[in-house]
C-alpha cells in the first residue's frame, strides 16, 4: 500500500499532473519531487496515520488472539514482551517511511523526474531526521497500545496523537515557558518542532537533536511503559 502511494505520486510527476490535498486541515501539495519527498518525511501529512493504524493492528492482534497470555505461560517476562513489541513497532514505522521514500527515489532513477532535484546533502540529513522521527512515533504508538490493550481505543488515541500533535506540542511549550524552563531546550525535542525544522536548512546539530530526542523518548517509554505493563493484568 505504501509503495503504491509512492508510485502514484511519482507517476503524477511524470505526467506533470499537479495535485493538492487537504490533510488534517492543511493543504499538502504534490507538484514537485521535493514536495513528494517531504510529504513522506512529515508524519502530519498522512503517513503518520498509516503508521498509527499498522502498528496498532499488529500489536492489538496479539491481545485479541491471546498470544500475549500464551507468552506469559511459557514464562516470558512482561518486560521482555514489552521491549520486543517496542522494537517491532519502531521497525514497522521506519519500514513504512523507507518504503515510501525508496519508491520515490527509484522513480527518479527510472527517469520519471529529474533525480538531481533530490540529490543533495540537505535531503540526506532530512531523511535521517525523518527516520528518527518515525522511530519515535513507533515507540509512542507502542506505548499507547500496551497501555490500553484494546484495538479500538488504541487506534482512536493514536490517531488523535498524530492529528493533534501540533496542539499537544503547543500546550507543552506553554507549560514549560510559564514555569521558566525554556532553557532546558525541551521544545527542541518535540516531534513537531523537529518536523518543522525539516523545511529549513539542515545542519549536523539538527540530526544530533533528533537522535537525542529519540534516545530520551525511547528510554522514558522503556522504563515507564515497561513498569506499567509489568504491574497490570493482560486483558485478553
Amino acid at each position: 500500500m505504501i509503495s503504491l502511494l509512492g508510485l502514484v505520486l511519482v507517476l503524477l510527476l511524470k505526467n506533470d499532473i499537479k495535485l493538492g490535498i487537504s490533510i488534517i486541515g492543511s493543504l499538502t501539495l504534490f507538484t514537485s519531487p521535493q514536495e513528494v519527498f517531504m510529504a513522506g518525511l512529515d508524519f502530519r501529512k498522512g503517513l503518520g496515520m498509516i503508521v498509527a493504524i499498522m502498528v496498532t493492528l499488529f500489536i492489538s492482534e496479539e491481545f485479541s488472539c491471546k498470544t500475549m497470555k500464551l507468552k506469559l505461560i511459557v514464562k516470558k517476562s512482561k518486560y521482555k514482551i514489552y521491549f520486543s513489541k517496542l522494537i517491532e513497532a519502531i521497525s514497522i514505522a521506519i519500514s513504512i517511511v523507507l518504503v515510501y521514500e525508496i519508491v520515490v527515489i527509484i522513480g527518479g532513477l527510472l527517469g520519471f523526474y529529474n533525480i538531481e532535484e533530490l540529490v543533495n546533502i540537505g535531503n540526506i540529513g532530512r531523511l535521517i531526521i525523518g527516520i528518527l522521527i518515525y522511530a519515535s512515533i513507533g515507540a509512542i504508538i507502542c506505548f499507547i497500545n500496551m497501555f490500553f490493550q484494546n484495538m479500538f481505543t488504541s487506534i482512536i488515541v493514536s490517531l488523535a496523537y498524530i492529528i493533534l500533535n501540533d496542539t499537544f506540542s503547543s500546550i507543552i511549550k506553554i507549560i514549560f515557558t510559564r514555569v521558566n524552563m525554556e532553557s532546558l531546550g525541551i521544545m527542541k525535542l518535540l516531534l513537531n518542532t523537529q518536523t518543522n525544522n525539516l523545511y529549513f536548512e539542515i545542519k549536523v546539530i539538527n540530526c544530533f537533536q533528533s537522535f537525542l530526542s529519540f534516545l530520551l523518548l525511547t528510554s522514558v517509554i522503556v522504563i515507564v511503559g515497561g513498569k506499567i505493563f509489568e504491574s497490570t493484568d493482560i486483558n485478553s
Side-chain angles (χ1 to χ4, degrees):
M1 181 177 66
I2 306 302
S3 57
L4 179 61
L5 174 61
L7 178 61
V8 169
L9 294 176
V10 167
L11 289 175
L12 290 176
L13 289 177
K14 179 185 179 183
N15 293 282
D16 198 28
I17 298 175
K18 310 299 182 182
L19 178 66
I21 302 176
S22 179
I23 301 176
I24 316 179
S26 63
L27 182 63
T28 299
L29 299 175
F30 302 99
T31 60
S32 70
Q34 186 67 24
E35 288 175 341
V36 173
F37 176 77
M38 291 300 297
L41 299 181
D42 191 337
F43 69 93
R44 302 167 300 185
K45 299 295 186 181
L47 213 57
M49 291 188 286
I50 295 177
V51 169
I53 293 173
M54 294 295 290
V55 171
T56 297
L57 291 177
F58 181 80
I59 295 179
S60 296
E61 184 181 14
E62 295 210 17
F63 284 110
S64 60
C65 295
K66 299 184 178 181
T67 307
M68 289 290 185
K69 281 192 172 181
L70 182 60
K71 289 181 178 180
L72 287 177
I73 293 175
V74 296
K75 297 183 179 180
K76 279 193 175 182
S77 71
K78 280 189 174 183
Y79 186 82
K80 288 183 178 180
I81 293 174
Y82 182 88
F83 188 73
S84 67
K85 293 298 106 182
L86 180 66
I87 297 300
E88 291 169 2
I90 291 174
S91 299
I92 291 173
I94 292 177
S95 297
I96 287 175
V97 68
L98 279 181
V99 167
Y100 174 89
E101 298 298 352
I102 288 173
V103 171
V104 172
I105 292 172
I106 289 176
L109 294 175
L110 293 177
F112 288 177
Y113 62 86
N114 184 6
I115 188 65
E116 293 182 1
E117 294 183 40
L118 293 184
V119 181
N120 56 68
I121 297 298
N123 279 343
I124 294 175
R126 291 183 179 91
L127 182 60
I128 293 172
I129 294 174
I131 290 172
L132 290 169
I133 290 174
Y134 273 89
S136 300
I137 290 173
I140 292 170
I141 302 305
C142 175
F143 173 82
I144 292 172
N145 276 268
M146 300 300 279
F147 180 82
F148 289 106
Q149 301 182 26
N150 178 274
M151 180 182 295
F152 179 77
T153 305
S154 296
I155 286 181
I156 295 299
V157 175
S158 298
L159 290 178
Y161 172 77
I162 297 297
I163 295 172
L164 302 175
N165 185 266
D166 284 343
T167 302
F168 170 78
S169 297
S170 296
I171 293 173
I172 296 296
K173 291 177 182 179
I174 292 173
I175 293 174
F176 276 87
T177 299
R178 290 190 174 181
V179 296
N180 297 318
M181 296 178 68
E182 313 98 297
S183 59
L184 292 178
I186 193 71
M187 274 76 85
K188 294 181 180 179
L189 300 180
L190 294 174
L191 296 187
N192 85 313
T193 302
Q194 295 176 58
T195 305
N196 290 336
N197 288 339
L198 289 172
Y199 295 91
F200 301 101
E201 181 182 356
I202 299 297
K203 300 179 181 179
V204 175
I205 187 64
N206 300 127
C207 297
F208 177 75
Q209 288 172 349
S210 293
F211 181 67
L212 177 62
S213 175
F214 170 69
L215 286 181
L216 179 61
L217 182 65
T218 305
S219 298
V220 172
I221 288 176
V222 168
I223 296 171
V224 178
K227 290 293 184 182
I228 293 175
F229 187 65
E230 279 187 321
S231 62
T232 57
D233 294 328
I234 295 179
N235 294 332
S236 298

